Amino acid sequence: MSGPDQQLLERARAIRLAIFDVDGVLTDGRLYFMPDGTEFKSFNTLDGHGIKMLMASGVEVAIISGRSSPLVEKRAANLGIRHLIQGREDKLNALAELRNVLDFELEQIAFLGDDLPDLPVMRRVGLGIAVASADSFVREHAHGITEASGGAGAAREFCELIMYAQGSLDNARAAYL
């Protein structure tokens, strides 16, 4: 997101929970199946490090995915994501479950999505962002759109937007200088 506007920054400043969809957001959206039926997914390391930086800054992270995959369980565990809800087409109910556990107001929640099943959550939370490769209707109704596509740095961009708005991005980057 080149030069996020003030309203987007204000929304991002309030975020305490960032939720990610998986297919099309943390991956490029393609589904790969081997002849024996096993699947594999490709995750971006830049996105993964962005998620780790966001968590280190004090923002809670969760995943809500319509599909279920042991690969997503493994990726979430590798990143230290404790809140994982899979196999849920009704993402609003999944959001309600998360809110019962984490007790955040809707204005304190951000969601990064790409397709129609993500839209009900994106429209209710404080910050609903679509990846550049999202469905056009989803992009039209999002608060903002990443410059990067899903699986190609969009999650990193989303994390850095929140951290920038909250004043933690420079410190996170400075640790590597």
Side-chain angles (χ1 to χ4, degrees):
M1 276 172 266
S2 60
D5 67 23
Q6 199 57 37
Q7 185 179 18
L8 204 57
L9 289 174
E10 284 178 31
R11 288 177 177 276
R13 203 168 290 122
I15 300 307
R16 297 292 169 261
L17 169 63
I19 305 172
F20 297 84
D21 177 40
V22 177
D23 295 317
V25 172
L26 296 179
T27 73
D28 65 8
R30 291 185 270 186
L31 302 175
Y32 300 93
F33 294 96
M34 302 301 288
D36 67 0
T38 58
E39 72 174 303
F40 68 94
K41 296 178 183 288
S42 176
F43 296 97
N44 185 302
T45 59
L46 293 175
D47 288 343
H49 195 72
I51 290 170
K52 286 182 177 182
M53 289 190 324
L54 185 63
M55 290 188 299
S57 78
V59 174
E60 193 73 49
V61 171
I63 291 174
I64 297 176
S65 179
R67 299 184 72 246
S68 290
S69 168
L71 298 171
V72 175
E73 278 182 46
K74 186 171 192 127
R75 182 64 171 157
N78 287 344
L79 294 175
I81 299 171
R82 298 177 300 141
H83 307 285
L84 171 62
I85 299 176
Q86 295 194 82
R88 300 290 292 281
E89 287 296 322
D90 185 347
K91 294 184 179 183
L92 273 181
N93 280 338
L95 174 65
E97 287 175 26
L98 273 175
R99 289 186 65 212
N100 284 337
V101 172
L102 297 173
D103 195 31
F104 290 113
E105 298 298 322
L106 288 171
E107 296 77 27
Q108 297 176 302
I109 302 172
F111 188 91
L112 183 64
D114 73 313
D115 206 356
L116 295 173
D118 301 324
L119 200 50
V121 173
M122 290 173 63
R123 293 190 40 85
R124 282 169 181 76
V125 297
L127 180 64
I129 301 291
V131 298
S133 51
D135 173 82
S136 62
F137 189 73
V138 174
R139 289 192 317 265
E140 179 183 325
H141 290 354
H143 295 124
I145 304 166
T146 64
E147 290 182 10
S149 293
R156 176 67 165 264
E157 195 177 326
F158 175 71
C159 293
E160 289 186 353
L161 166 69
I162 295 168
M163 293 175 68
Y164 175 78
Q166 296 180 0
S168 61
L169 183 59
D170 287 343
N171 286 341
R173 288 176 171 166
Y176 296 95
L177 295 176

